[in-house]
Amino acid sequence: MNIEDFNYELPNKLIAQYPLQSRGDSKLLVANPFSKKIQDLSFKSFLELVSPKDLIIFNNTKVIKARLYGQKETGGKIEILIEHIIDNKNALAMIKSSKKINMNCKILLSDNFKLEIIKRKNNLFLIKLDQGSFDELLEKNGHIPLPPYIDRPDEIEDLERYQTVFAKNKGAVAAPTAGLHFSKEDFKLFEQNKINYTFITLHVGSGTFQPVKELDIDKHIMHKEFFEIPDETKIKIQSTKKNGGRIIAIGTTVLRALESSILENKIFTGYQETNIFIKPGYKFKLVDGLFTNFHLPKSTLLMLVSAFAGYEFTKKMYSHAIQKKYRFFSYGDAMFIEQKYINDD
């Protein structure tokens, strides 16, 4: 398929720049690819769409304050986005600079911290910290790494709202945004209504925002992300499948981790990495329902949704959402696709 097959026109005013007042205030588009039915509901209706036989799976990764601002010793300004912390002193990062980036260049971040650019690794740079640790550096100097389509600096509110209430394992440089809609009260309701839920961890990388540059999407090379499937989650998945319930992924990150974890009908647990590219034609092995936000044009995440709901039906959902003025992207509204589509569009 061609990259233009996944393009759509979105008015800028529909890109959410701030979260709504409370988690759970968003709208929810509910879509069923079998019946072709689309409903406009509220997030608070989600619980009514889930059965006690189902299993809801969340991503409990925690966003780190991965964006840093500094200057070269020569005075030029520089912006760093930490992609992966290797150890206390070394990390891989994306670097933005108005001029060419030279190796062994020193970057001043504050009176206490200085970095050196060691070498280039594909589209990332290996950087080394002269003293202290990256945990200390990010805690003192880091900024919440809001995505590029949020056209403002990060604010105090983002420390809480660009993080899920169940965030636990540090390592993401972007939030698993589908999870942002859920509050602590929702988990109390799950308990009261005997709704089963569990967690995986996938550390979302900056590659999630990288556009597909290849005209032929089959030539696109996916970025790698690290994830972990606990034994407890595997047991709950097997029990749910045995009892005829649905596996509902809260977000594309959960779906990618689950689909990457299964090989020859066996779920592998533990720490793993994936560069799976889910696009139309993919045959889903585990996931039966997807709760997700709206995704960027020409993005691999839109391709994933197109694979799950069917290409033509996904176009219909997005056209409907734009017409009904849904809020798009990280701080925007959500959709719930109730079942995967078994025929190819």
Side-chain angles (χ1 to χ4, degrees), residues 8-16 322-323 325-326 328-329:
Y8 65 90
E9 293 294 325
L10 180 69
N12 281 336
K13 63 183 180 182
L14 296 185
I15 301 175
I322 292 168
Q323 181 188 353
K325 294 183 169 54
Y326 277 71
F328 275 60
F329 308 152

Side-chain angles (χ1 to χ4, degrees), residues 27-60:
K27 293 192 289 186
L28 181 66
L29 184 153
V30 178
N32 189 306
F34 284 107
S35 65
K36 305 295 185 188
K37 185 178 179 182
I38 294 175
Q39 296 174 272
D40 298 307
L41 303 177
S42 69
F43 168 79
K44 292 179 173 62
S45 305
F46 177 64
L47 192 68
E48 299 165 18
L49 305 172
V50 181
S51 158
K53 291 172 67 174
D54 297 333
L55 176 65
I56 305 174
I57 305 182
F58 296 90
N59 181 3
N60 65 4

Side-chain angles (χ1 to χ4, degrees), residues 258-288:
L258 293 176
E259 292 294 318
S260 299
S261 72
I262 189 165
L263 183 64
E264 296 178 354
N265 292 321
K266 181 182 177 183
I267 300 170
F268 287 81
T269 59
Y271 195 67
Q272 306 164 58
E273 70 175 26
T274 181
N275 65 344
I276 190 172
F277 186 7
I278 297 176
K279 54 186 184 290
Y282 178 86
K283 304 301 180 187
F284 290 86
K285 306 174 187 75
L286 270 185
V287 178
D288 307 300

